[in-house]
Amino acid sequence: MHEAQDMLAGQKPDDDLILSVRDLAVHFPLGGGGWLGRGKRMLRAVDGVDLELKRGECLGLVGESGSGKSTVALSILGLLTPTRGRIVLDGQVVTSRPSGDRKALARTVQMVFQDPYASLNPRQTVRRTLEDPLRVHGVTAKSEIEERVETMLRHVGLRPEQADRYPHEFSGGQRQRIGIARALILNPRIVICDEPVSALDVSIRAQIINLLLELKDTLGLSYIMISHDLGVVEHMSDRVAVMYLGRIVENGHWREIFERPAHPYTQALIAAIPDPLRQAPLATTGGDLPNPLDPPNGCAFGPRCRYAEAVCRSEPGPVLETRPDGHAVRCWRSEEIAGRAAVASIEAGAN
């Protein structure tokens, strides 16, 4: 049945897939509602997201704060229970597993957090930070624990003798290296990087990005790179999925997304990249993300879109269908918008 649904959605079953997310929704009921809770409002943090991740691939998941990126990540990690949808991880459906299976899931997928200052326990040494997950997951031999800790520290560019120091004795970049080591100590196959360099100095960001890319190749990892910074995503990702108000509005190969963006929101994000060499006059946008408790009628991006027409204000947008070239867009005017972006890119290059 699910294979038939995948085919109808334009996605063929693929043995290279390590992660498949189908129709993921996460809704949070809010307080109030009067007698017996009737009339409660619902926050639709994620509302019908489809994603795929192939082995050895980096998928960039981008969008403004509040678009639902981290909620998708927490659902994949098993830390949130979806309202509906299906998550298949390395051939196993994980959305139907009991909550006790979170421990098994942790051996497959881990996260590198945004803030290296807040994500480490200040009372634990680096050694304790890396040893505890191993013991929890059944590694008891002291020699094996010591070897894995030392090997992982070397992998992230730290010295084994630094293992007995506390987080406050390290710089921000070194702390993020410790966070990366903690995420990798169980040998996961998927790592979700949630804004891993946004809290770091600009001079350190390139080092951490290059480290992540090196580890991806060395250890055979697959990444989901969550960010609102398309500059980072452009450098790291093989494919990019753009989220807006709980939905994917565009996804495809990174080059197609950056050179021929077909959704006005994607164009606005690219236009915001601080790159003096990027001369193409892409679309810009104003205003803030709409209130998810009171989304606009029609296309969610309509009130901020300079291309919006009557259909955009009355219809939510076409179904996100993947084209033969792997590009998918949720926009009524995507062909026209992508054409304009391509012409602008060509003209900028000629100048």
Side-chain angles (χ1 to χ4, degrees):
M1 175 180 176
H2 288 305
E3 287 191 3
Q5 289 176 345
D6 291 344
M7 294 294 287
L8 288 172
Q11 303 288 341
K12 297 180 181 179
D14 189 337
D15 291 338
D16 285 339
L17 285 183
I18 192 169
L19 174 69
S20 173
V21 177
R22 287 285 180 269
D23 193 31
L24 180 69
V26 183
H27 300 167
F28 299 103
L30 301 183
W35 186 64
L36 294 181
R38 292 174 181 171
K40 277 187 176 180
R41 295 194 298 172
M42 192 70 67
L43 174 63
R44 300 176 183 271
V46 173
D47 198 24
V49 163
D50 291 344
L51 285 177
E52 290 184 346
L53 179 67
K54 294 186 178 183
R55 301 178 195 279
E57 180 181 57
C58 179
L59 171 68
L61 187 59
V62 304
E64 292 169 282
S65 298
S67 60
K69 308 183 301 296
S70 294
T71 303
V72 170
L74 293 174
S75 299
I76 294 170
L77 286 161
L79 299 176
L80 281 178
T81 301
T83 304
R84 70 169 190 271
R86 185 173 66 113
I87 300 174
V88 180
L89 187 60
D90 208 13
Q92 301 293 318
V93 179
V94 298
T95 37
S96 59
R97 287 182 175 182
S99 57
D101 281 358
R102 169 71 188 96
K103 183 177 176 181
L105 187 60
R107 292 192 290 272
T108 301
V109 56
Q110 282 286 329
M111 177 177 275
V112 175
F113 295 93
Q114 176 179 3
D115 189 347
Y117 296 91
S119 62
L120 298 175
N121 187 337
R123 297 186 178 184
Q124 286 188 348
T125 63
V126 172
R127 185 183 304 280
R128 176 74 182 275
T129 296
L130 299 183
E131 287 180 349
D132 280 356
L134 293 173
R135 292 195 176 96
V136 168
H137 287 268
V139 181
T140 57
K142 183 178 180 180
S143 59
E144 181 180 356
I145 291 175
E146 290 179 351
E147 180 182 357
R148 289 178 66 168
V149 168
E150 290 184 6
T151 299
M152 189 52 62
L153 287 174
R154 289 193 177 97
H155 271 316
V156 300
L158 296 174
R159 302 188 306 276
E161 56 266 29
Q162 293 176 294
D164 293 313
R165 298 182 184 178
Y166 289 87
H168 73 269
E169 299 179 74
F170 295 90
S171 67
Q174 289 175 321
R175 292 187 196 192
Q176 193 61 297
R177 290 173 186 268
I178 297 167
I180 293 169
R182 178 180 57 187
L184 299 181
I185 196 69
L186 294 176
N187 297 324
R189 294 187 288 280
I190 297 174
V191 178
I192 300 175
C193 302
D194 190 0
E195 304 275 10
V197 298
S198 64
L200 302 177
D201 292 341
V202 174
S203 59
I204 304 299
R205 292 181 185 181
Q207 297 177 22
I208 298 301
I209 290 171
N210 290 333
L211 172 64
L212 288 169
L213 288 172
E214 179 183 333
L215 291 170
K216 173 176 168 289
D217 293 336
T218 302
L219 303 179
L221 301 170
S222 303
Y223 286 160
I224 296 178
M225 172 62 63
I226 297 175
S227 182
H228 65 274
D229 184 346
L230 263 73
V232 172
V233 170
E234 182 179 16
H235 187 72
M236 287 198 63
S237 300
D238 300 294
R239 289 187 302 112
V240 178
V242 183
M243 285 196 73
Y244 187 80
L245 208 65
R247 291 186 172 184
I248 302 294
V249 296
E250 184 167 11
N251 98 42
H253 187 272
W254 75 268
R255 189 179 298 278
E256 186 75 9
I257 294 293
F258 281 90
E259 294 184 357
R260 197 170 180 265
H263 195 284
Y265 179 59
T266 308
Q267 290 192 357
L269 291 177
I270 293 173
I273 299 175
D275 184 355
L277 300 179
R278 193 183 302 277
Q279 300 176 15
L282 297 175
T284 57
T285 187
D288 298 320
L289 198 71
N291 183 353
L293 292 173
D294 186 24
N297 295 325
C299 173
F301 190 64
R304 305 172 68 187
C305 179
R306 68 174 185 171
Y307 299 110
E309 295 180 334
V311 65
C312 306
R313 298 183 179 90
S314 59
E315 301 292 335
V319 176
L320 191 72
E321 294 183 348
T322 303
R323 304 168 184 168
D325 64 358
H327 201 160
V329 189
R330 190 189 299 272
C331 177
W332 292 115
R333 302 182 64 189
S334 62
E335 291 294 337
E336 174 190 352
I337 292 170
R340 291 186 181 186
V343 170
S345 180
I346 293 171
E347 290 178 348
N351 294 331

